[in-house]
Amino acid sequence: MTALRVLGVHGVGNLQPGLEPPAAAERLAGWWSRALLKPGSFEPDRLDLTVAYYAHHLTKTVPQGQDDLDAADQDEVLTWATLLGLPGETAQGQLARPARAAVDWVARRFGLDTRLARAFAGLFFKEVGAYFTRPESRTSALADVAGAIARTEPQVIIAHSLGSVVGYETLWAHPHPPVDLLLTVGSPLAMPDVVYDRLQVRPADRSRPPGVRRWINVSDPGDIVAVPRGGVARGFTGLDADLTDAIHAFDFHRVAHYLSCGATQGILAATL
């Protein structure tokens, strides 16, 4: 029986210090496989999974928190928090550290651990900032993902978080073999200012990428990265489905929960 060829495109926070890119990609593939092949799901020989690794192009060290961000990145934090409902006076009340005030508000609003929320904001906005403001980093990330697509000729691409942005732009920027399904999960593609307005794809072309037969998006209704609420379809056309699934009660952005959730498992089962 032929296995389904799946390529993962990871999100933020996946830098693997001390490992060369092939070894880092192999480590991530092991983590993804364990989540996809949860007990009672697929037999191991039904899925042929690899992961495209690009984190080393965006950062060499792990950011310590939102206070480690430069001024432009901190402005993006405020934009993001506002999209999540941040009242205007909240950040204004702590002018010395408005980004910290914004992250702390998000943590309280969504019942998150404040320390972990600060660490996540540092990771996410540092890597997003590097991707959009350093052309050489963006070009290298796209080239590595394009190379992985060319080598593996995947039938399915699963792209998580910032990886959905890198994967989407790669599929527009580089020739590639036909892809049966693009599955974006926890995606910030439609986030105005921070992501959407900085894409290299022209607004008129923001649809299903060329050479992709189907595009499905999955987001947790509480995912603080998948904003604005309402799904990717708010800014793009050509989606076959824009689904919501409660992947976890408190940890609603982690890729392992997206890979093991009912929506993802059902989509892959139907594809098989």
Side-chain angles (χ1 to χ4, degrees):
M1 185 178 297
T2 303
L4 185 70
R5 298 186 306 278
V6 179
L7 177 69
V9 187
H10 67 76
V12 302
N14 280 285
L15 180 68
Q16 303 298 310
L19 292 183
E20 292 298 315
E26 186 174 354
R27 173 183 283 179
L28 295 181
W31 295 342
W32 281 49
S33 293
R34 284 191 288 276
L36 277 174
L37 300 172
K38 66 177 186 177
S41 59
F42 307 103
E43 295 297 325
D45 60 354
R46 298 299 307 278
L47 297 177
D48 178 10
L49 173 72
T50 55
V51 171
Y53 180 69
Y54 64 87
H56 57 300
H57 295 304
L58 304 185
T59 181
K60 303 301 180 185
T61 59
V62 177
Q64 299 305 305
Q66 84 285 341
D67 293 333
D68 186 42
L69 302 173
D70 62 26
D73 294 338
Q74 295 204 33
D75 286 343
E76 305 296 347
V77 172
L78 294 175
T79 299
W80 161 73
T82 300
L83 290 168
L84 290 169
L86 174 73
E89 64 273 11
T90 300
Q92 304 265 338
Q94 297 189 33
L95 294 178
R97 291 182 173 179
R100 171 173 286 193
V103 174
D104 290 355
W105 180 90
V106 170
R108 291 192 300 272
R109 169 68 177 78
F110 291 91
L112 307 174
D113 179 274
T114 300
R115 180 180 58 83
L116 294 178
R118 290 176 181 175
F120 175 77
L123 285 168
F124 182 79
F125 289 98
K126 192 76 170 180
E127 293 191 30
V128 168
Y131 180 75
F132 283 116
T133 63
R134 297 194 329 230
E136 71 283 358
S137 296
R138 189 180 199 167
T139 299
S140 297
L142 295 176
D144 279 6
V145 174
I149 294 173
R151 288 192 304 275
T152 62
E153 298 189 355
Q155 296 159 284
V156 175
I157 294 176
I158 303 177
H160 173 243
S161 187
L162 178 59
S164 68
V165 179
V166 182
Y168 182 83
E169 289 203 324
T170 299
L171 290 167
W172 272 100
H174 290 265
H176 58 83
V179 176
D180 183 62
L181 171 66
L182 170 62
L183 176 58
T184 50
V185 296
S187 175
L189 270 167
M191 190 185 297
D193 297 327
V194 179
V195 174
Y196 183 80
D197 298 293
R198 303 162 88 179
L199 295 173
Q200 290 179 333
V201 181
R202 297 182 308 166
D205 292 334
R206 290 179 187 177
S207 61
R208 184 172 61 241
V212 174
R213 192 170 74 85
R214 294 180 297 147
W215 179 12
I216 297 176
N217 183 65
V218 177
S219 61
D220 185 289
D223 191 333
I224 59 175
V225 168
V227 293
R229 303 303 184 212
V232 169
R234 290 189 57 166
F236 298 82
T237 60
L239 277 90
D240 294 88
D242 205 343
L243 309 175
T244 58
D245 191 2
I247 66 170
H248 195 272
F250 303 105
D251 195 358
F252 28 60
H253 185 65
R254 191 179 300 273
V255 68
H257 299 318
Y258 271 113
L259 295 175
S260 61
C261 77
T264 298
Q265 295 280 312
I267 292 164
L268 291 180
T271 303
L272 279 167

